[in-house]
């Protein structure tokens, strides 16, 4: 199966050339990295061209690389990862594109795959990644008064606000969190093969 995905990687590299930045095959899985400026063009071709025929988006998620690999990561902080499935050819591909920390923005792929709708809303809610062109980009897991994005690595474990019932106002209100932040579990950095690829990508 690894040979098949290496051949698929070669076809992808030959078809898209400089539109993509890297291909990587490991554990019978193909990952393709590409600039966010090329995302829609590449995704459209992967969906529509018969050689690929990735009709289905089966997953989309955000990633925060802050402090990844014990600080060895040198790339952009945020990424969006797409998992595509071709029912016709029975093969899969993973796409990864990056977004800068100051304002993480990536084009929405909802016009290509309707299933991206709630996935993109989830990544926006949890990571603060904005999907340009999404018709209804709003929180989906946290409520509308929530402050911050809880899957970011710098989000405090105790949160920023807490919700209480106010007896005077006779309703639920938010107030700054009163719980002191603390860590009960020691942080463990495993210096193993999981970070070797990150170090190579980071230019070390």
């Amino acid at each position: 199966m690894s040979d098949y995905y290496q051949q698929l990687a070669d076809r992808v590299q030959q078809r898209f050339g400089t539109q993509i930045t890297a291909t990587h095959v490991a554990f019978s899985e193909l990952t393709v990295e590409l600039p966010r400026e090329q995302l829609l063009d590449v995704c459209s071709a992967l969906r529509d061209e018969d050689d690929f025929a990735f009709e289905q988006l089966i997953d989309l998620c955000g990633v925060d690389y802050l402090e990844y690999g014990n600080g060895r990561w040198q790339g952009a902080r945020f990424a969006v990862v797409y998992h595509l499935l071709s029912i016709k050819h029975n093969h899969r591909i993973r796409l990864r594109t990056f977004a800068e920390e100051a304002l993480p923005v990536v084009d929405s792929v909802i016009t290509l795959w309707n299933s991206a709708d709630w996935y993109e809303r989830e990544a926006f809610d949890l990571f603060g990644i904005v999907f340009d062109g999404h018709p209804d980009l709003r929180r989906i897991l946290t409520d509308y008064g929530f402050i911050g994005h809880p899957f970011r690595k710098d989000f405090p474990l105790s949160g920023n606000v807490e919700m209480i019932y106010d007896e005077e106002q006779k309703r639920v209100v938010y107030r700054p969190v009163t719980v002191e932040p603390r860590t009960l579990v020691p942080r463990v950095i495993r210096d193993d093969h999981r970070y070797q690829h990150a170090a190579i990508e980071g230019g070390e």
Side-chain angles (χ1 to χ4, degrees), residues 12-156:
V12 168
Q13 185 67 62
Q14 183 177 8
R15 166 61 180 84
F16 296 105
T18 58
Q19 286 185 283
I20 62 176
T21 55
T23 60
H24 179 68
V25 178
F27 305 106
S28 298
E29 295 182 348
L30 169 60
T31 301
V32 175
E33 295 182 3
L34 69 163
R36 62 183 182 276
E37 294 82 7
Q38 301 293 336
L39 179 66
L40 292 182
D41 288 342
V42 172
C43 284
S44 180
L46 288 173
R47 184 194 66 173
D48 297 338
E49 294 182 9
D50 187 66
D51 195 31
F52 305 113
F54 288 102
E55 312 101 327
Q56 188 173 0
L57 171 72
I58 58 176
D59 192 23
L60 180 159
C61 66
V63 182
D64 182 359
Y65 286 101
L66 183 68
E67 298 182 3
Y68 178 74
N70 200 21
R72 284 181 281 177
W73 179 260
Q74 299 297 317
R77 175 176 174 181
F78 295 103
V80 181
V81 179
Y82 306 79
H83 292 262
L84 308 179
L85 169 67
S86 171
I87 300 172
K88 179 178 181 179
H89 299 302
N90 191 28
H91 59 207
R92 300 167 186 255
I93 193 171
R94 179 191 298 114
L95 306 179
R96 181 170 62 165
T97 191
F98 294 94
E100 296 302 326
E101 179 175 358
L103 182 60
V105 179
V106 176
D107 286 325
S108 172
V109 297
I110 196 172
T111 57
L112 299 174
W113 298 285
N114 288 336
S115 58
D117 188 355
W118 283 13
Y119 290 139
E120 290 181 346
R121 286 181 58 187
E122 180 182 45
F124 164 70
D125 190 359
L126 300 180
F127 291 94
I129 300 170
V130 175
F131 292 89
D132 189 27
H134 192 289
D136 187 25
L137 194 62
R138 55 193 168 96
R139 292 186 182 274
I140 190 171
L141 295 176
T142 61
D143 61 86
Y144 300 136
F146 195 87
I147 296 176
H149 304 284
F151 274 20
R152 290 190 174 191
K153 298 300 184 182
D154 53 2
F155 188 83

